[in-house]
Amino acid sequence: MAPKNKNPNGENVVPEVQQKKTQALILKSSDGEEFSISKSAAGLSVAIKNMMEDDCAGGVIPLPLVDGGTLARVITYLNKHAEDGASDEDKRKFDEEFLSGMEVDVLCDVALAGNYLDIRGLFHDVCQRIVNGMKNKSVEWVRKTFRIESDFTAEEEEQIKKEYAWAWEGVDSDAD
Amino acid sequence: MNACLPDDILEMCLVRLPLASLMNARLVCKKWRNLTTTSRFMQIRREGLFQSSWLFLFGVVKDGYCSGEIHALDVSLNQWHKIDSHTLKGRFLFSVASIQDDVYVVGGCSSLTNFGRVDRSSFKTHKGVLVFSPLTKSWRKVAAMKYARSSPILGTSEVNPDCFVFRNQQNRSDRRFYRPRVGGVSDVYEDPHRLSVRRQSRHSLDETDVSLFPSIKPCKFVRQKTEIHPAKMRLPLDFGVACSGVVCHGMFYVYSESDKLVGYDIERGYWVTIQTTPSPPRVHEYYPKLISCKGRLFMLSVSWCEGDGQIGRRNKAVRKLWELDLMYLNWKEMSTHPDAPMDWNAAFVADEELIFGVEMFKIFGQVLDFVTMFNVSDVRTGWNHISRNHATHDLDASSCMTKSMAVLRL
């Protein structure tokens, strides 16, 4: 059997795995920014991986639903997780820090991107982060943070509050 | 940016909320309320393991009356909630068991002459089974037991609808009145009766019923069309008074005050005596509690601290957790509880790999409560205190004796 690392002309080629690692790919955000990323890192996104396999990759993959700022964050995440030598513990620590500084708005954008690009770990972490912020917070805090107007009438709200009356004790003040 | 995540992503976030925050989220706006109240949503929440343990403390006595109050500890947020429940007013010595999102309250007594008080001079014993749904804070009645019971020993199990007990539509139950702590004779009742509680499991795929097995005891079993050998259906006469029971691997294990262990095979419908290596030595006044956790059988039992019997010093009592090796039937010590066993009626319940315990006792004129937790998959961590003295400041000392506890994933 012919060795796999020879092409039909008998020339040596870089094995595919290695090729993936070293080769770079360009991701293009909705606002036209271009980011270079290794194929191995990009492959952690199931969506990008599929695009690479379908070879719509002329080397540049347009991501019309992700803006530059968000894409930069996502790429940081992907690079860390594709890093050789990064232990699970390192990655966990990184994830923690990576998300901890983000505002709710930013978290939502990253969640959208994580979902669109199908990066499971990131998506789940971000969702968790978003709700962690909501724990022990009042309804008003949640409305303000997510910019939601209540469409309940005062009576309806009273009624619902009554239903679950016991669940509202011990909620933190809105100070933080 | 998006004040509005698309619904599917918003849903993926909201399923992760602990219950109290979820209740909050339902008040935010109509869309959130609609998203979070569907059965699909609750199913994702359940299956995604986003629920967390809630402990429910029942049967407290306040100012001399059984107030019916339920104290609930949200373990993940470490918050106590108090739920008023008129339904339970005046009732004491009932038993509780959790099945999915509900707590079943079985039997109990009410005073006839002094309504609301823990008064055993003249009382009525109930046979009713009440179901409490914390999610909706609602109560409903389900089929009653055939006979009235106080402090029945309960086990719950998922059983196949065509298993023995269902084919025969019978069940046994045991009666145990309150009696002095020491001594007492086992009440033996012939009590063939219909299964008390039967309900369709929500997981319609596996076609199981979730059943509540009210306790047992030596009981003659009225046979209908079965071929079971009668000898196998009786408990040994010297079994004594049942003090704790739990279902594990389709077997309803019951432990007696005379340190005997028996098991009722739910599928096949008969009792077997389980000969274990000698049970761990224990202090007589404290009855052991059986716990079933992740298919393993445990027991909490209070014993004298060995090797600490120095002259002039009083030996210390310690509460220990033992595991019964279900293959070789020997008891193995797992862990020692950090607290001195002050409550002889300490309640222990299991949820997944966690065992929760609550001890309540009166000291310095005040009833104190200590809630502890043990993870059977992580023995090295040992017992953790998860709450101290939150629920019980204003309760009567008799609460220690009448309390019972259930745990739910909510």
Side-chain angles (χ1 to χ4, degrees):
Chain A
M1 220 175 99
K4 279 189 183 137
N5 57 351
K6 303 246 177 187
N7 70 9
N9 304 327
E11 294 160 346
N12 283 325
V13 292
V14 187
E16 205 183 353
V17 186
Q18 206 179 330
Q19 209 172 38
K20 257 192 185 164
K21 262 202 155 10
T22 47
Q23 271 195 6
L25 200 69
I26 304 292
L27 301 180
K28 196 169 169 186
S29 70
S30 61
D31 42 4
E33 278 189 72
E34 292 191 353
F35 298 86
S36 164
I37 183 173
S38 72
K39 277 193 175 173
S40 66
L44 294 176
S45 149
V46 178
I48 297 178
K49 195 165 156 231
N50 290 341
M51 287 187 239
M52 291 191 310
E53 274 163 15
D54 297 346
D55 203 32
C56 34
V60 179
I61 295 184
L63 300 172
L65 295 180
V66 187
D67 67 62
T70 308
L71 188 55
R73 290 189 179 89
V74 171
I75 286 172
T76 313
Y77 175 91
L78 291 176
N79 281 338
K80 181 69 192 183
H81 282 255
E83 207 173 90
D84 284 337
S87 68
D88 286 351
E89 179 59 22
D90 287 346
K91 288 178 191 167
R92 204 190 50 75
K93 256 194 204 145
F94 166 84
D95 292 350
E96 184 74 20
E97 280 167 28
F98 175 65
L99 296 174
S100 64
M102 294 187 193
E103 297 287 315
V104 171
D105 287 1
V106 179
L107 285 171
C108 289
D109 286 336
V110 176
L112 277 172
N115 183 52
Y116 167 61
L117 298 174
D118 202 349
I119 309 166
R120 273 192 98 77
L122 176 65
F123 179 64
H124 286 280
D125 287 355
V126 177
C127 286
Q128 191 61 52
R129 195 85 208 176
I130 292 173
V131 304
N132 283 353
M134 291 167 63
K135 285 181 192 171
N136 284 344
K137 292 299 193 317
S138 69
V139 180
E140 289 69 30
W141 185 93
V142 177
R143 283 184 191 142
K144 210 174 91 196
T145 309
F146 289 85
R147 279 175 239 135
I148 296 170
E149 295 268 327
S150 171
D151 47 3
F152 288 120
T153 63
E155 294 82 50
E156 283 172 327
E157 197 161 323
E158 253 343 278
Q159 184 55 39
I160 302 168
K161 269 196 171 153
K162 233 195 231 159
E163 271 175 51
Y164 308 119
W166 55 276
W168 276 285
E169 291 154 31
V171 173
D172 287 354
S173 69
D174 288 350
D176 50 342
Chain B
M1 93 92 216
N2 45 96
C4 46
L5 284 167
D7 287 0
D8 56 336
I9 297 181
L10 184 58
E11 195 179 31
M12 286 309 294
C13 290
L14 296 178
V15 284
R16 293 159 187 271
L17 282 172
L19 183 68
S21 312
L22 177 62
M23 298 293 194
N24 224 0
R26 288 177 179 173
L27 256 182
V28 167
C29 64
K30 284 183 178 160
K31 187 174 97 174
W32 281 36
R33 181 169 172 79
N34 293 338
L35 268 180
T36 53
T37 44
T38 63
S39 58
R40 195 183 86 95
F41 179 88
M42 294 310 274
Q43 193 185 343
I44 298 175
R45 200 170 165 269
R46 186 162 45 236
E47 287 168 4
L49 307 178
F50 299 127
Q51 295 171 313
S52 61
S53 307
W54 280 65
L55 296 178
F56 290 84
L57 188 65
F58 291 81
V60 301
V61 183
K62 206 167 162 180
D63 305 325
Y65 288 93
C66 305
S67 64
E69 236 168 49
I70 302 166
H71 293 265
L73 174 62
D74 176 352
V75 176
S76 68
L77 299 181
N78 193 17
Q79 270 168 11
W80 281 96
H81 302 274
K82 200 160 71 185
I83 308 167
D84 281 325
S85 102
H86 297 285
T87 320
L88 282 182
K89 254 189 188 148
R91 204 179 277 215
F92 57 95
L93 291 183
F94 49 80
S95 298
V96 295
S98 48
I99 298 178
Q100 290 175 350
D101 298 342
D102 297 327
V103 181
Y104 284 66
V105 178
V106 183
C109 307
S110 321
S111 169
L112 291 172
T113 43
N114 280 309
F115 182 76
R117 292 194 175 265
V118 187
D119 174 6
R120 284 179 289 270
S121 55
S122 163
F123 61 88
K124 173 194 175 184
T125 307
H126 298 274
K127 59 183 176 186
V129 180
L130 299 164
V131 183
F132 174 56
S133 307
L135 287 176
T136 51
K137 204 188 156 193
S138 61
W139 286 87
R140 67 178 193 276
K141 273 188 178 174
V142 291
M145 293 184 290
K146 191 160 180 182
Y147 295 111
R149 299 282 175 265
S150 67
S151 301
I153 290 162
L154 303 177
T156 62
S157 171
E158 288 200 7
V159 292
N160 195 300
D162 56 38
C163 91
F164 177 81
V165 280
F166 288 105
R167 287 200 307 270
N168 293 281
Q169 281 293 294
Q170 49 186 298
N171 189 24
R172 51 250 108 237
S173 183
D174 141 7
R175 146 137 54 180
R176 182 179 159 220
F177 288 115
Y178 176 77
R179 56 204 151 58
R181 285 170 55 194
V182 186
V185 186
S186 169
D187 307 305
V188 180
Y189 287 86
E190 296 185 357
D191 186 18
H193 88 89
R194 295 189 44 211
L195 201 73
S196 301
V197 178
R198 184 180 173 184
R199 67 177 237 174
Q200 207 60 45
S201 160
R202 254 176 239 171
H203 311 284
S204 49
L205 284 180
D206 52 15
E207 284 192 4
T208 54
D209 279 355
V210 178
S211 303
L212 189 66
F213 291 94
S215 148
I216 26 179
K217 181 109 23 94
C219 48
K220 194 171 129 207
F221 198 103
V222 169
R223 292 194 298 159
Q224 289 178 339
K225 298 170 215 146
T226 60
E227 303 295 324
I228 304 288
H229 194 275
K232 280 188 169 169
M233 287 185 243
R234 299 236 175 96
L235 280 172
L237 284 176
D238 60 348
F239 178 67
V241 181
C243 64
S244 180
V246 80
V247 174
C248 182
H249 279 305
M251 188 73 108
F252 185 13
Y253 291 94
V254 182
Y255 198 87
S256 78
E257 290 172 10
S258 40
D259 297 300
K260 301 244 174 348
L261 182 67
V262 290
Y264 178 77
D265 189 314
I266 296 166
E267 286 282 326
R268 296 189 189 88
Y270 55 78
W271 288 99
V272 285
T273 302
I274 296 161
Q275 290 289 355
T276 64
T277 52
S279 298
R282 66 178 177 94
V283 180
H284 197 73
E285 286 79 6
Y286 293 85
Y287 300 132
K289 305 272 179 209
L290 291 180
I291 309 265
S292 169
C293 208
K294 285 268 170 194
R296 296 158 71 184
L297 186 66
F298 298 91
M299 178 167 74
L300 276 141
S301 165
V302 173
S303 54
W304 294 111
C305 194
E306 287 153 331
D308 194 27
Q310 292 172 34
I311 300 165
R313 260 197 214 179
R314 290 197 58 186
N315 206 344
K316 264 196 323 188
V318 286
R319 197 186 298 275
K320 286 181 179 170
L321 180 70
W322 302 80
E323 180 174 9
L324 182 66
D325 185 316
L326 293 172
M327 175 86 91
Y328 298 105
L329 299 177
N330 52 350
W331 291 101
K332 191 179 129 218
E333 187 180 328
M334 293 284 291
S335 171
T336 300
H337 197 282
D339 295 340
M342 299 288 282
D343 180 1
W344 59 268
N345 187 36
F348 290 92
V349 288
D351 174 34
E352 298 287 327
E353 73 278 2
L354 301 174
I355 295 176
F356 295 96
V358 64
E359 277 202 274
M360 275 165 63
F361 51 90
K362 187 171 184 173
I363 192 163
F364 307 131
Q366 215 180 19
V367 176
L368 305 180
D369 63 288
F370 294 88
V371 185
T372 48
M373 184 175 83
F374 182 80
N375 186 335
V376 298
S377 314
D378 180 15
V379 177
R380 265 185 306 170
T381 310
W383 292 85
N384 284 316
H385 284 93
I386 53 175
S387 166
R388 290 171 209 255
N389 309 330
H390 277 77
T392 55
H393 286 302
D394 51 352
L395 301 181
D396 295 3
S398 50
S399 303
C400 307
M401 192 269 293
T402 53
K403 71 168 180 301
S404 49
M405 185 165 71
V407 61
L408 295 181
R409 288 244 143 183
L410 294 178

